[in-house]
Amino acid sequence: MVGYLNMTDPTQLCPVSWQTFTSPRSMCGKKTTAACDSLKIPTAGASYRTVCGWFRGYQMGSPDAFGLINSAFNLENEYVDGISITYGSPGNRHHVYTYAAGVYELSDWNACPCTEEGGSSSWFVGYDYHCESGNPGPGRESVWYVSDVLWDGKQCGGNESTCCNSHDLPWFCKTFPNPISENLEVRICTDQELSNENVAIESFELYISVQANTALASMDTSTVIGITFAILFVMFSLVVLVAVCVCCLVKRKSKHITGAQGMRRLQTYQRTRTGQRMWPEDEMVLPIILRAMLVTYACLRIKKIQIYVT
């Protein structure tokens, strides 16, 4: 999780860039008229391709969803009355997802696009949005409509019923063709004075799916299996080589056994006969091989874990 807000928790505070509301509910809204108030969501430089999350909010007055869009509106300004999720920096923002708030649930030019007459979304938004109104209509007042939560997929009456057809609500997930490492940004946007319209967030969560930073991340299964077997073969070859070298050294040493060494061999043999298990000092071939096998097993386990992680 890279972004989180829960104003139902009394210990939570709104970001300084957003206005705190305590009535009729605890929530975070806009401070600025006819603009977007921004909250940066750091991603710590992680490489990701998928962004998922959900938002829960309320509307005040008569937000227009995408109804007042014209050529002057783009991703850098208040193209929607609602929530804009983007990545990148100002002047070079890229769209992730949009949560729009319509004026009411009836058909109107400033209602949600899913109604018969609602304004369509911008080309850079496409179908990557949720839209809902908290006002059943037909009247509109400068009050917070807190009886109907926005973007929860519930209480979609009138012409707005198709706005809640998605089974994923309130969740969204957006996958990009190439990895991204830029920070996310959440903006609350409206294009008119705050006495006329506002949108507030009560809670949200944002997640990214982090990409592995190794070459194995881009390899297919057959390639990874081939690399694994190559590592196994190399490690086994090293064990055999060590064992052969040790055997050669032991044989060379056994040709020059001194009297003291012979006595130690005899003592070792006697201790073995009496039940005292003991390795001769100059016959360590088997223990060395066992140790090498244990080291090899540990190395292979590490390699296996690395492959699964990537």
Side-chain angles (χ1 to χ4, degrees):
M1 183 188 299
V2 292
Y4 171 81
L5 178 70
N6 181 14
M7 292 304 292
T8 63
D9 181 349
T11 64
Q12 288 273 300
L13 299 174
C14 290
V16 293
S17 57
W18 293 345
Q19 181 178 351
T20 300
F21 292 92
T22 57
S23 178
R25 299 185 67 89
S26 294
M27 49 192 175
C28 304
K30 279 188 56 182
K31 284 183 176 181
T32 311
T33 295
C36 296
D37 290 347
S38 172
L39 173 65
K40 302 294 184 183
I41 308 293
T43 57
S47 178
Y48 61 94
R49 287 184 56 196
T50 301
V51 181
C52 296
W54 59 266
F55 283 74
R56 175 186 175 96
Y58 300 95
Q59 76 178 66
M60 193 282 291
S62 54
D64 309 307
F66 304 104
L68 293 179
I69 289 177
N70 56 53
S71 58
F73 290 110
N74 55 58
L75 199 56
E76 299 300 324
N77 52 38
E78 55 276 14
Y79 68 92
V80 66
D81 288 347
I83 312 301
S84 171
I85 302 105
T86 59
Y87 72 87
S89 55
N92 190 33
R93 291 184 172 97
H94 302 270
H95 184 254
V96 176
Y97 214 82
T98 295
Y99 285 84
V103 60
Y104 40 56
E105 297 174 354
L106 305 177
S107 291
D108 195 280
W109 63 274
N110 52 3
C112 289
C114 52
T115 65
E116 295 177 1
E117 301 177 8
S120 59
S121 61
S122 300
W123 64 269
F124 52 81
V125 174
Y127 294 102
D128 294 328
Y129 71 89
H130 287 326
C131 187
E132 188 179 345
S133 177
N135 178 10
R140 60 185 82 176
E141 301 178 24
S142 295
V143 298
W144 285 102
Y145 291 91
V146 294
S147 61
D148 186 356
V149 180
L150 296 179
W151 317 305
D152 63 346
K154 301 175 182 178
Q155 295 178 261
C156 294
N159 299 86
E160 195 185 61
S161 59
T162 56
C163 299
C164 296
N165 286 344
S166 174
H167 298 293
D168 299 327
L169 286 169
W171 283 89
F172 80 90
C173 271
K174 175 78 171 286
T175 299
F176 298 91
N178 299 310
I180 301 164
S181 58
E182 298 178 78
N183 292 332
L184 296 171
E185 182 180 15
V186 175
R187 293 179 295 162
I188 305 176
C189 301
T190 58
D191 62 347
Q192 297 178 8
E193 61 275 6
L194 295 179
S195 60
N196 178 68
E197 60 187 17
N198 202 346
V199 176
I201 299 173
E202 183 179 62
S203 53
F204 78 85
E205 293 180 0
L206 280 176
Y207 300 83
I208 59 174
S209 177
V210 178
Q211 301 293 301
N213 292 323
T214 65
L216 286 176
S218 59
M219 295 180 181
D220 56 21
T221 304
S222 60
T223 304
V224 174
I225 293 175
I227 292 176
T228 304
F229 276 106
I231 294 172
L232 289 172
F233 177 77
V234 170
M235 299 303 294
F236 178 76
S237 300
L238 290 175
V239 171
V240 173
L241 180 62
V242 170
V244 170
C245 292
V246 171
C247 288
C248 291
L249 291 174
V250 169
K251 287 182 178 179
R252 288 184 61 188
K253 187 176 180 181
S254 62
K255 295 178 180 180
H256 304 282
I257 299 176
T258 63
Q261 289 174 327
M263 184 62 67
R264 286 197 297 272
R265 283 178 177 272
L266 179 59
Q267 291 173 351
T268 299
Y269 175 76
Q270 291 174 344
R271 290 174 181 174
T272 303
R273 291 291 301 271
T274 58
Q276 299 180 22
R277 192 166 185 83
M278 180 178 176
W279 292 106
E281 292 179 3
D282 51 358
E283 292 184 359
M284 298 295 290
V285 177
L286 185 57
I288 290 175
I289 294 177
L290 290 176
R291 289 191 184 98
M293 291 176 66
L294 288 175
V295 172
T296 303
Y297 176 76
C299 293
L300 293 177
R301 290 291 296 174
I302 293 173
K303 291 291 183 183
K304 184 176 181 182
I305 290 172
Q306 290 176 343
I307 290 173
Y308 277 120
V309 168
T310 56

